[in-house]
Amino acid sequence: MDSKKLMNFSLAVGEVMLRNGAETYRVEDTINRILKTSDYKGIESYVTPTGIFATLEDEDRDHMTVIRRVNNRGINLYRIELANAISRDYCNRSISLNDAYDSILKAAHEPAYSKQFIVASIGLAAGLFAIVLGGSLHDAFATLVAGLALGLFQVTMLHLGVSKFFIDLIGSFMTSWVALFFIHAIGLGHSLDLIIISSIMPLVPGVAITNAVRDTIHGDLVSGASRILDAFIVAASITAGVGIALSIFNSLYGGIVL
Amino acid sequence: MMIQVIAAYFVTIFFAIIFNTSKNQLLISGLVGAVGWWGYLMVIHSNYSVITASFVGAFLVSLLANLFSKLRKSPVTIFQIPGIIPLVPGMGMYKTLYAVIEEDYNLVAKHLFETLQIAGSIAVAMMILFSLSTLFDQYVGKKV
């Protein structure tokens, strides 16, 4: 058994999962399962949202420890599913190590949907959200436009590699202006708060919070705390964007009607 | 109310697309989100608080997410993350912010506290289901 290749494979799987939004305990569990197929006695892995550490040890052989730094975390549930399937197939011995390694390298760049489709989904998700919260069709239309603008901005900026903080801040600022424009300039839609809330939903850190809770319950306190911090920063930048837009509007045109 | 539930179904699907869920899981993700929102609305219409409603909604979402993850042998996250989205207390966050702009700090405290309670109740619901599913894995089924 090529234990170096096995180690690389397990870290590659772990990295794909961590980068795309899997919970910490699941990444550790997957790495441990893969490493258990080796002939080493001692297996350890330690995962935080920003890095992976894994060790293979044995009495009469050299230890092997590898560290993998992970930045640029996003959400891509398709890749998590692929990584999960590959590691399961490998642990069942239904594919060889070489095949598994090749397919995980491929899975790391697997796109599920095109950019245009994502932009359209962001717009439609926002628009329908207005209806979920009990808004009218007019509200939904205004939100749809705001959502499409947000989606276009977000996808373009992510492609250019702009930081998430900036995207959240400017994105929420922009959508608030679109909402204000619809309500006050065109007169379409009645409820400003509903339009703004629905159109910033695609930015809200639901995933970060969900994973933070799961990590904390599981006892991965370092991961849980850092994910909560992550969620807090995103929430703060969104509210700052909306807040700045509303304050500017307030000072330009006087009191806003909620 | 039916319209809201149907809208929640499609919202969850579109969020699942934004999170790049694969095509064959989309319809199930939508179902998880719609049932969660249905539970939330039912509780709200029976005159219970938003906090109780969020708890029930998150409980249903996590229950179904765990169930489908066992049935379809895929990670829980795939169903849980899009499903929980309609329940996220965006309204509470917004009201807190609005009160900050209006400089009404009594309202800030009220809305902030309510938002934290909602987030907490969602977290507790997820915690309970997570613990139950670990128990289930240990004593009944093989871990997926």
Side-chain angles (χ1 to χ4, degrees), chain A residues 77-78 81 113 132 214, chain B residues 4 19-21 25 80 127:
Chain A
L77 299 178
Y78 181 51
E81 206 187 329
Y113 300 104
V132 169
R214 293 180 72 96
Chain B
Q4 276 172 282
F19 299 144
N20 281 297
T21 313
Q25 315 276 27
Q80 198 168 27
M127 256 159 81

Side-chain angles (χ1 to χ4, degrees), chain A residues 6-53:
Chain A
L6 184 74
M7 187 60 135
N8 280 334
F9 170 59
S10 73
L11 283 178
V13 173
E15 194 183 342
V16 168
M17 296 179 75
L18 197 58
R19 255 179 207 281
N20 293 300
E23 317 94 298
T24 303
Y25 84 93
R26 183 180 289 281
V27 179
E28 278 179 1
D29 187 58
T30 308
I31 292 177
N32 288 347
R33 274 160 199 263
I34 294 172
L35 290 181
K36 258 183 206 143
T37 61
S38 75
D39 46 1
Y40 280 77
K41 286 201 185 71
I43 292 159
E44 289 291 343
S45 68
Y46 177 65
V47 176
T48 72
T50 48
I52 304 174
F53 310 75

Side-chain angles (χ1 to χ4, degrees), chain A residues 128 131-132 135, chain B residues 1-10 37 41:
Chain A
L128 282 166
I131 295 183
V132 169
Chain B
M1 195 180 109
M2 225 35 233
I3 294 172
Q4 276 172 282
V5 173
I6 293 169
Y9 181 78
F10 287 104
W37 190 247
L41 288 178

Side-chain angles (χ1 to χ4, degrees), chain A:
Chain A
M1 159 97 39
D2 183 354
S3 43
K4 254 188 185 155
K5 183 134 199 177
L6 184 74
M7 187 60 135
N8 280 334
F9 170 59
S10 73
L11 283 178
V13 173
E15 194 183 342
V16 168
M17 296 179 75
L18 197 58
R19 255 179 207 281
N20 293 300
E23 317 94 298
T24 303
Y25 84 93
R26 183 180 289 281
V27 179
E28 278 179 1
D29 187 58
T30 308
I31 292 177
N32 288 347
R33 274 160 199 263
I34 294 172
L35 290 181
K36 258 183 206 143
T37 61
S38 75
D39 46 1
Y40 280 77
K41 286 201 185 71
I43 292 159
E44 289 291 343
S45 68
Y46 177 65
V47 176
T48 72
T50 48
I52 304 174
F53 310 75
T55 290
L56 284 175
E57 55 182 325
D58 218 342
E59 279 157 10
D60 44 358
R61 275 182 287 183
D62 284 343
H63 293 185
M64 193 191 323
T65 300
V66 183
I67 299 174
R68 188 71 62 89
R69 178 75 166 87
V70 176
N71 6 39
N72 300 335
R73 283 171 310 279
I75 302 153
N76 192 321
L77 299 178
Y78 181 51
R79 288 182 196 156
I80 297 181
E81 206 187 329
L82 279 180
N84 201 51
I86 292 169
S87 79
R88 192 174 48 229
D89 285 349
Y90 173 70
C91 293
N92 292 341
R93 311 275 174 191
S94 44
I95 49 175
S96 74
L97 181 57
N98 282 324
D99 289 348
Y101 193 61
D102 289 342
S103 41
I104 193 67
L105 290 183
K106 231 180 95 203
H109 304 285
E110 198 74 47
Y113 300 104
S114 69
K115 286 202 183 70
Q116 295 86 337
F117 197 48
I118 299 266
V119 172
S121 304
I122 293 178
L124 286 167
L128 282 166
F129 206 88
I131 295 183
V132 169
L133 292 179
S136 64
L137 276 180
H138 289 178
D139 291 331
F141 180 74
T143 316
L144 175 75
V145 177
L148 283 177
L150 173 70
L152 206 58
F153 177 76
Q154 200 182 6
V155 169
T156 321
M157 288 294 140
L158 271 181
H159 185 67
L160 295 176
V162 181
S163 81
K164 186 138 183 3
F165 171 75
F166 185 77
I167 296 178
D168 292 339
L169 187 72
I170 305 296
S172 57
F173 179 79
M174 205 178 66
T175 38
S176 311
W177 270 109
V178 176
L180 286 167
F181 180 76
F182 265 98
I183 291 265
H184 292 282
I186 304 184
L188 189 67
H190 342 279
S191 152
L192 178 69
D193 51 350
L194 196 130
I195 297 177
I196 293 184
I197 294 163
S198 315
S199 53
I200 58 173
M201 264 334 261
L203 294 173
V204 166
V207 184
I209 294 171
T210 315
N211 281 343
V213 171
R214 293 180 72 96
D215 281 352
T216 313
I217 305 156
H218 205 259
D220 297 321
L221 300 180
V222 174
S223 306
S226 47
R227 283 191 208 267
I228 287 171
L229 181 68
D230 187 20
F232 181 76
I233 290 173
V234 175
S237 47
I238 295 172
T239 43
V242 178
I244 293 168
L246 289 181
S247 305
I248 292 178
F249 186 85
N250 229 351
S251 52
L252 283 181
Y253 299 102
I256 347 169
V257 201
L258 187 68

